[in-house]
Amino acid sequence: MTEESSTNGSEQFRKFVDDFLSTAAPALEDVVNSKAYGEMLGQAVGNLVALNRMNNDVMDLTVRNLRIAGRADVVSLHRQLARNEDKLEMVLEIVERIEEELAAIRRLGSETADRTAGPESSPARTSARKPTGKSSTRSSPRSPSDRD
Amino acid sequence: MWPAIEDMADLPASLRTYANIQLTTADAAVGVSPKEIIWTYRKTTLYRYRSSQRTHPVPLLLTFALINRPDIFDLRPGNSFVEFLLQQGFDVFLVDWGYADEEDADTGLDDYALEYIPRAIREVRRASGAEEISLVGWCIGAALTGMYLSVTPGAPVRNWVPLTMPFDAANTTYETLLGNAELDLDWLEQHAEYLPGAYVDTVNKMLKPVPNYIGTPLRLFNQVQDGTADKSSYQPMAKWVADNPNFPMRAFRQWVTWVYRENRLARGRLRLRGQKVDLSTIQQSILVVTATKDHIAPRSGTMPMLDVLTSPDVEHLDGVGGHIGLMAGSRARTDIWPRINSWLEPRSQ
């Protein structure tokens, strides 16, 4: 009987916790769905972002005063790299466009030659996309900005 | 009395095991299917998964949200959508947006939709030799791919699968949370380069505070006490949940303003670099997937999209589960994945 009551005790405790949580859950979700919570959240986000920024600025100043490259320096380098990648990507797109135009011109040229040669000429070649078969890192520039 | 003492005696062991599971979660293997880097651009990486059984000529490109990691597509061996797709003979690619930082402050949704995605598609075609691909987007990934397709009528995409895509934000919790004036987006954009991932994660978890902060750890503890805890199942998901990239500030501002405050997608008022985003122009084959218990992108917010789409081949697939559980839960393998595969397979020849 003692064993039974102990087992029942554990199960009862779990049931109590489950019942409590199943009551608390919808109540808390109602709170989260409220306008007041949304306003509190908006203020909290602003405060946390401000604190984060202050912390980062202090850390960065400390590091820079030690004559060590700080976060701002790394970010500046990152941005320069990103600009280079944008330019490369732009060049890649231009090169691809030129390749496609050349392929179209060649196709047109061979079709014209076939027509001139007569009905027994060889069939026109068609260009096909060829898989590279190997991985490559392509980092290229953004196209000129036409962003709003 | 003795069983009660036994229970108390077991408690330290249970606590030790519980602590061990929690403390070693960071070591869990997530996203381990073999893959190669095909292309990188800024923080973004395009992967191709290795396979010796590619039978479908149309490759798949998986895109996830900007918050949380795309490893959810490949959570763990035995519960990996990527693994499943590879077994079905697909050529699978995945675009990883990376971890945003200060230098990405000016990256917006238009950049992802009009530069990153088209370039990724270009590289998928180059690597696979295919003329057309299938585009799978999940959550924000679905919205970005939808934006891209809307303004790119000749896109080399045959099929589009938006998973739990936020479309109509009217009367949603996020509209209430993000629509109030206290969230000063102008101030945020001036003073922060990104919204830390931890903040975004906290806001999302607070939508269901009891299950997320008490229910999950308590359930694990009960399982430890009962001897039924499955470390290999718990840890990968826990690790993925805790891995939160930052949200670039310009993209965050656009997401909140366009999708939640002004509901531009549903109202047909969204423009990207002057081009109107109109989902009705998408003519690819479309499989709209919703989740019955999704509280992040509620089903009721995605269903209106079906009234807008005019493609001759549109289907709706309603899966059981939450926003993430739909595709990564225990039932996904036997339920939603085969259904997606049944739809994709004939359209990938």
Side-chain angles (χ1 to χ4, degrees):
Chain A
M1 187 177 165
T2 312
E3 189 172 321
E4 211 176 77
S5 64
S6 166
T7 308
N8 285 342
S10 303
E11 284 176 4
Q12 279 175 2
F13 178 71
R14 280 195 190 182
K15 191 173 177 310
F16 169 75
V17 170
D18 287 342
D19 288 346
F20 171 74
L21 292 177
S22 60
T23 310
L28 279 170
E29 283 162 34
D30 283 343
V31 168
V32 168
N33 273 310
S34 69
K35 197 162 172 275
Y37 176 82
E39 287 171 1
M40 185 276 301
L41 188 69
Q43 290 171 354
V45 167
N47 291 345
L48 287 168
V49 163
L51 278 169
N52 196 37
R53 188 184 172 84
M54 276 162 49
N55 179 56
N56 288 344
D57 287 348
V58 165
M59 294 293 294
D60 209 44
L61 268 172
T62 309
V63 166
R64 283 187 128 191
N65 283 330
L66 294 172
R67 297 287 186 264
I68 301 171
R71 183 73 199 144
D73 302 304
V74 173
V75 168
S76 170
L77 282 170
H78 258 297
R79 286 194 172 132
Q80 287 178 32
L81 273 169
R83 282 195 294 273
N84 286 340
E85 277 190 299
D86 288 347
K87 289 171 188 168
L88 282 169
E89 193 70 26
M90 193 165 61
V91 168
L92 178 65
E93 283 170 4
I94 291 170
V95 166
E96 282 192 334
R97 217 175 301 138
I98 293 171
E99 277 180 346
E100 280 165 16
E101 284 171 14
L102 276 172
I105 291 168
R106 281 194 204 110
R107 244 190 336 265
L108 196 62
S110 71
E111 280 169 12
T112 309
D114 290 340
R115 269 202 297 272
T116 310
E120 289 177 0
S121 62
S122 56
R125 278 185 309 168
T126 52
S127 64
R129 293 187 72 83
K130 291 187 181 139
T132 54
K134 58 180 178 177
S135 57
S136 58
T137 299
R138 296 181 181 279
S139 48
S140 311
R142 290 183 185 202
S143 42
S145 178
D146 59 347
R147 292 149 63 158
D148 328 335
Chain B
M1 181 183 164
W2 287 112
I5 294 175
E6 275 177 16
D7 282 348
M8 283 174 58
D10 284 339
L11 191 58
S14 299
L15 284 170
R16 197 173 56 241
T17 305
Y18 176 80
N20 175 265
I21 292 175
Q22 295 285 25
L23 292 171
T24 57
T25 290
D27 303 325
V30 172
V32 295
S33 294
K35 55 187 185 273
E36 290 168 342
I37 296 175
I38 297 297
W39 169 75
T40 64
Y41 173 62
R42 296 193 171 204
K43 300 282 178 63
T44 298
T45 308
L46 176 70
Y47 293 102
R48 185 186 198 184
Y49 287 90
R50 292 195 201 130
S51 174
S52 56
Q53 49 194 36
R54 293 177 187 137
T55 53
H56 303 315
V58 179
L60 268 169
L61 175 59
L62 306 174
T63 60
F64 193 59
L66 300 174
I67 52 177
N68 288 114
R69 301 283 298 140
D71 300 324
I72 193 67
F73 280 117
D74 184 29
L75 190 60
R76 63 182 173 92
N79 189 21
S80 160
F81 186 52
V82 166
E83 205 178 69
F84 173 81
L85 290 171
L86 292 173
Q87 287 164 359
Q88 304 307 314
F90 287 99
D91 189 359
V92 184
F93 293 78
L94 178 139
V95 67
D96 177 356
W97 306 122
Y99 290 91
D101 221 317
E102 281 101 331
E103 56 272 12
D104 304 299
D106 61 348
T107 306
L109 299 183
D110 53 328
D111 297 309
Y112 287 108
L114 302 186
E115 288 176 17
Y116 289 59
I117 288 175
R119 287 169 182 165
I121 292 174
R122 179 197 67 204
E123 296 302 325
V124 168
R125 293 173 68 215
R126 187 196 306 279
S128 64
E131 288 298 322
E132 290 182 315
I133 73 162
S134 294
L135 202 47
V136 177
W138 193 348
C139 189
I140 299 179
L144 291 173
T145 51
M147 290 176 196
Y148 159 71
L149 289 171
S150 297
V151 302
T152 317
V157 173
R158 190 182 294 184
N159 310 303
W160 178 43
V161 182
L163 304 166
T164 62
M165 173 174 156
F167 176 70
D168 187 350
N171 304 315
T172 59
T173 304
Y174 277 118
E175 191 201 17
T176 309
L177 293 184
L178 302 173
N180 66 85
E182 294 298 333
L183 185 67
D184 189 342
L185 293 172
D186 291 329
W187 185 91
L188 278 175
E189 200 171 14
Q190 279 175 26
H191 294 94
E193 286 83 14
Y194 56 81
L195 197 67
Y199 298 178
V200 179
D201 182 48
T202 303
V203 169
N204 287 336
K205 281 191 172 138
M206 283 301 291
L207 294 182
K208 298 272 181 192
V210 170
N212 285 321
Y213 288 110
I214 302 174
T216 300
L218 186 61
R219 187 168 49 249
L220 176 65
F221 187 72
N222 288 339
Q223 287 169 349
V224 166
Q225 279 194 315
D226 297 341
T228 58
D230 184 1
K231 194 170 161 178
S232 64
S233 169
Y234 173 83
Q235 285 187 325
M237 181 59 86
K239 180 177 178 179
W240 176 83
V241 167
D243 192 357
N244 310 114
N246 302 322
F247 206 153
M249 189 50 69
R250 183 160 168 264
F252 172 71
R253 188 207 171 106
Q254 289 173 338
W255 182 249
V256 170
T257 308
W258 294 351
V259 176
Y260 292 107
R261 288 192 174 181
E262 298 176 5
N263 207 11
R264 289 190 195 181
L265 261 177
R267 293 170 61 217
R269 297 285 183 94
L270 179 58
R271 284 188 174 269
L272 289 184
R273 300 184 186 174
Q275 300 175 82
K276 187 177 177 186
V277 173
D278 182 359
L279 297 186
S280 69
T281 60
I282 300 176
Q283 294 302 300
Q284 280 79 2
S285 296
I286 306 172
L287 178 67
V288 178
V289 180
T290 54
T292 51
K293 296 178 188 171
D294 191 346
H295 63 280
I296 292 181
R299 186 180 176 278
S300 57
T302 308
M303 292 301 289
M305 195 164 86
L306 292 166
D307 297 329
V308 171
L309 298 170
T310 62
S311 163
D313 182 15
V314 179
E315 275 186 44
H316 172 224
L317 204 167
D318 206 18
V320 175
H323 189 66
I324 297 299
L326 171 79
M327 291 290 290
S330 51
R331 274 187 292 202
R333 189 177 190 89
T334 52
D335 180 19
I336 197 79
W337 295 352
R339 290 161 75 187
I340 292 175
N341 177 57
S342 301
W343 184 88
L344 266 174
E345 204 172 20
R347 294 167 174 82
S348 301
Q349 306 310 318

